[in-house]
Amino acid sequence: MNWAWVDGNEFNWNFNPQTSITTSNAGSLQVSWIFPIPGTPSMWSGQSFPGAATGVGNTPIVYKGLAYIVTQYEEVFALAVATGKVIWSTSLPVFPNETSFGGFAIQHFHNSCCALSTNNLLGGPTLWVAATNQFVYAVDADSGKIKMSFSFLPNDPANHYGVPGNLGGYS
């Protein structure tokens, strides 16, 4: 089964008809593997928001036997669905002073941060991650290599990120 959006679709409905799990086989379900999320890097440990840089920030995206997850500290993993083996991992760039931003923790993903495109727009399947540094990263879903990135907001709190009427932090 492919699950190209977090929570199932672009609207985050979190709906799956679960046709493979029935009342007759539910009792035989068991855990096949567990992936221990690596510990939070020390550069993120001083976050002011409890738990800001710990754990995973998205429901896994599943495509062709791989599950893609993004940690709160912006490391992207591709895991083999059958075994839990890490196929690749890549850390998204961290900007200077990103780990300390006016007393606010900006490392906090929500499920809408990721999507997967399977067309040849950038040469093959691409995982799109809207990172907390106001950048979108296009990550090659097969290799983990960052194909491209672009800013969607000026990363400048002094001008309220170039958003008229914005008076607070934006991430």
Side-chain angles (χ1 to χ4, degrees):
M1 166 193 245
N2 291 326
W3 191 271
W5 295 87
V6 294
D7 284 342
N9 63 30
E10 65 272 27
F11 306 111
N12 289 328
W13 287 351
N14 202 18
F15 174 75
N16 182 323
Q18 296 292 340
T19 56
S20 60
I21 301 171
T22 66
T23 55
S24 62
N25 67 11
S28 62
L29 293 176
Q30 58 184 329
V31 174
S32 294
W33 55 267
I34 295 173
F35 177 67
I37 304 301
T40 303
S42 60
M43 64 189 290
W44 296 112
S45 62
Q47 293 287 328
S48 60
F49 183 72
T54 61
V56 173
N58 67 294
T59 304
I61 291 175
V62 179
Y63 181 69
K64 290 189 174 181
L66 294 180
Y68 302 94
I69 59 172
V70 181
T71 68
Q72 295 289 8
Y73 49 87
E74 301 190 4
E75 186 168 0
V76 184
F77 287 91
L79 308 171
V81 170
T83 64
K85 177 184 174 191
V86 175
I87 304 302
W88 58 257
S89 71
T90 191
S91 293
L92 300 179
V94 177
F95 289 2
N97 301 321
E98 188 174 341
T99 61
S100 176
F101 175 72
F104 294 99
I106 62 171
Q107 291 310 113
H108 186 73
F109 280 113
H110 291 273
N111 259 348
S112 58
C113 71
C114 305
L116 180 77
S117 63
T118 58
N119 59 25
N120 283 323
L121 176 67
L122 294 176
T126 302
L127 183 67
W128 297 87
V129 181
T132 56
N133 61 6
Q134 288 83 38
F135 266 71
V136 173
Y137 294 93
V139 180
D140 186 297
D142 293 329
S143 69
K145 180 181 176 184
I146 297 174
K147 297 178 180 184
M148 71 177 226
S149 63
F150 56 89
S151 176
F152 59 89
L153 282 177
N155 196 8
D156 184 1
N159 76 354
H160 304 288
Y161 304 97
V163 178
N166 180 32
L167 301 178
Y170 191 89
S171 61

